[in-house]
Amino acid sequence: MDFLLAHSGVIITFAAAVAFLMAWGIGANDVSNAMGTSVGTKTLTVRSAIIIAIIFEFAGAFFAGGEVVSTIKDGVISSTAQIATEDLVIGMISSMLSAGLWLVLASYFSWPVSTTHSIIGAIVGFGIVSTGFSSINWGMFTGIVGSWIITPAIAGILAFILFLHIQRFIFWRYHPLKHAKRIAPYYVFLTILTISVVTMQKGLKHVNIELSAQESWALSIILAMILAVISRIILAYKKFDKTLELKKHYINVEKVFSVLMLMTACSMAFAHGSNDVANAIGPLASVATILSNGGNASTDIAMPNWILPLGAVGMVVGLATFGYKVMSTVGSGITALTPSRGFAAQLATASTVVIASGTGLPISTTQTLVGAIMGVGLARGIAAINMNIVRNIIVSWVVTLPAGAFFSILFYYIFKLVLYYAQ
């Protein structure tokens, strides 16, 4: 450990570079998932998606990300495990490098995999080889695995019900545009309410603002109502093609949902930032804190100010350079999406992910979104889903966890060997 402390600046710089690589992979894969439906329905251009990601990924990470950072750091490896501080530093760097390289590889092949799977699998891998199976908090791990199954199912059911509601009360009506303009503000209300409640109850504590449950709900409802009214005014003045026949107003209806897709895209970016920022910066925060405090691994993490921007910039760069591959798979590969279908999938996903993030449980944004998209597809019949694409996605999910563990173990032993000869 003395060697690491003596060269802490170099080690932290290397760890930051590895964390940036992982954040790049998250941007190329996971942020692309969040923006994929919007781009696939042509509601957003790639450039617009990047801008939204910059703003709302930062907001989600800052306001609602702290709970999950704590889970990633302390929940996987037991706090009572007798793990050497030197091994912990090397293991965290190995985990980030393992997860980062796997995400780059998956993005190259257009596989929408889970960054949460990658980093947790990697941490489990180095934990097992460094201190044995007893170092792993298997109770938490079992709960996380359960969430990988439960949350996609919840998102799928929500998306299924939401899209059936859209069909029943808008598309199947004689004057669909009229009903869309009337019902859309209620969808806006639900979207804003979901984000606001979690932000006010969980996130504002990180900026020293604590509200009671009643105050949080009251303010969230007021904010959601204000934005719902604003959306009604916008829709009232939005110009539509009135030359279309009355029964062919579906094009205009989709324009209404394009406005809603923009809001849910913001919600998805916020949800992703709140939950998945921990995957990139959690291990880096551990390394930086240990080396900055003389090797004291028990010190509570006070995240350095430069870590969050590093992770967020890495995500944006990944999305801008390699994100189009996964966007194509999510946006059009699973099922044909329109703004109305994409809105149903995104609202269901954002609701599921943000609520789960508020509980401190790191879930898979990827699996949640794919589950929601499948729910929308099932609302139109099983034939509407490309089962070949779904099969490939599921296979990539199964491979991700052991791949993260394998590469983490490999890099762990390589770094141990390098450290041995360097001392």
Side-chain angles (χ1 to χ4, degrees):
M1 188 63 198
D2 292 337
F3 180 85
L4 295 180
L5 291 175
H7 299 83
S8 60
V10 175
I11 302 299
I12 291 175
T13 300
F14 178 72
V18 173
F20 186 87
L21 172 67
M22 184 175 175
W24 186 95
I26 293 175
N29 205 285
D30 253 23
V31 179
S32 298
N33 290 333
M35 296 289 107
T37 50
S38 299
V39 175
T41 59
K42 303 193 184 318
T43 297
L44 292 175
T45 63
V46 174
R47 178 178 297 180
S48 300
I50 293 173
I51 294 174
I52 288 177
I54 292 173
I55 298 172
F56 287 92
E57 290 280 341
F58 265 107
F62 181 75
F63 285 114
E67 292 282 344
V68 181
V69 169
S70 175
T71 303
I72 288 288
K73 175 183 175 290
D74 301 321
V76 178
I77 297 180
S78 175
S79 59
T80 61
Q82 298 299 317
I83 179 170
T85 305
E86 177 181 297
D87 290 339
L88 180 60
V89 171
I90 295 174
M92 285 297 180
I93 296 176
S94 301
S95 298
M96 289 188 291
L97 183 56
S98 170
L101 289 179
W102 173 250
L103 289 172
V104 170
L105 181 64
S107 299
Y108 176 79
F109 287 106
S110 304
W111 298 336
V113 299
S114 170
T115 57
T116 308
H117 279 216
S118 303
I119 190 63
I120 290 180
I123 292 176
V124 167
F126 102 80
I128 289 176
V129 297
S130 61
T131 60
F133 282 88
S134 61
S135 67
I136 307 301
N137 186 349
W138 294 109
M140 168 62 74
F141 188 72
T142 302
I144 293 172
V145 171
S147 75
W148 295 339
I149 300 172
I150 295 171
T151 50
I154 293 174
I157 293 171
L158 289 176
F160 181 89
I161 294 173
L162 183 56
F163 186 64
L164 286 183
H165 184 274
I166 292 172
Q167 286 183 316
R168 171 68 176 82
F169 292 97
I170 295 178
F171 285 105
W172 294 349
R173 295 300 179 98
Y174 178 69
H175 201 315
L177 178 60
K178 175 182 177 181
H179 290 280
K181 293 169 70 174
R182 179 175 60 84
I183 295 176
Y186 294 99
Y187 293 148
V188 172
F189 177 85
L190 290 175
T191 302
I192 301 303
L193 182 63
T194 300
I195 301 298
S196 299
V197 168
V198 174
T199 300
M200 293 183 184
Q201 284 189 337
K202 298 290 184 179
L204 295 182
K205 295 178 182 179
H206 301 293
V207 288
N208 298 320
I209 299 177
E210 294 194 29
L211 301 174
S212 66
Q214 293 81 1
E215 291 172 337
S216 298
W217 274 99
L219 290 175
S220 298
I221 291 173
I222 292 173
L223 179 61
M225 290 180 64
I226 291 173
L227 291 177
V229 171
I230 292 174
S231 68
R232 181 177 290 275
I233 295 173
I234 292 174
L235 290 173
Y237 286 95
K238 184 176 177 61
K239 294 182 179 180
F240 297 96
D241 187 355
K242 297 182 179 180
T243 64
L244 296 175
E245 296 180 14
L246 190 61
K247 290 186 178 181
K248 294 182 179 179
H249 276 191
Y250 301 112
I251 296 176
N252 286 334
V253 173
E254 294 296 352
K255 289 182 180 180
V256 174
F257 280 100
S258 292
V259 177
L260 296 176
M261 275 288 289
L262 179 60
M263 299 193 67
T264 52
C266 297
S267 301
M268 275 299 298
F270 183 95
H272 179 270
S274 68
N275 196 77
D276 285 21
V277 64
N279 296 334
I281 67 176
L284 175 60
S286 296
V287 172
T289 301
I290 290 171
L291 295 180
S292 299
N293 289 277
N296 186 358
S298 63
T299 303
D300 291 335
I301 283 187
M303 191 182 302
N305 295 330
W306 56 269
I307 290 183
L308 178 57
L310 176 75
V313 170
M315 290 182 183
V316 172
V317 172
L319 173 62
T321 57
F322 226 28
Y324 68 93
K325 286 180 171 290
V326 177
M327 277 186 185
S328 176
T329 300
V330 173
S332 58
I334 300 174
T335 190
L337 291 178
T338 61
S340 59
R341 298 168 193 165
F343 164 75
Q346 280 195 339
L347 179 56
T349 303
S351 301
T352 305
V353 172
V354 175
I355 292 172
S357 177
T359 66
L361 180 64
I363 66 172
S364 169
T365 308
T366 302
Q367 293 188 348
T368 306
L369 178 61
V370 170
I373 294 175
M374 289 184 64
V376 170
L378 287 173
R380 300 165 51 232
I382 189 66
I385 300 176
N386 187 333
M387 297 306 297
N388 289 330
I389 295 293
V390 172
R391 183 192 64 238
N392 293 338
I393 291 174
I394 292 176
V395 169
S396 70
W397 290 351
V398 174
V399 173
T400 293
L401 188 61
F406 172 79
F407 286 116
S408 177
I409 293 171
L410 177 63
F411 292 133
Y412 175 80
Y413 282 122
I414 291 175
F415 290 144
K416 289 283 286 185
L417 186 64
V418 171
L419 185 61
Y420 174 80
Y421 284 105
Q423 289 178 332

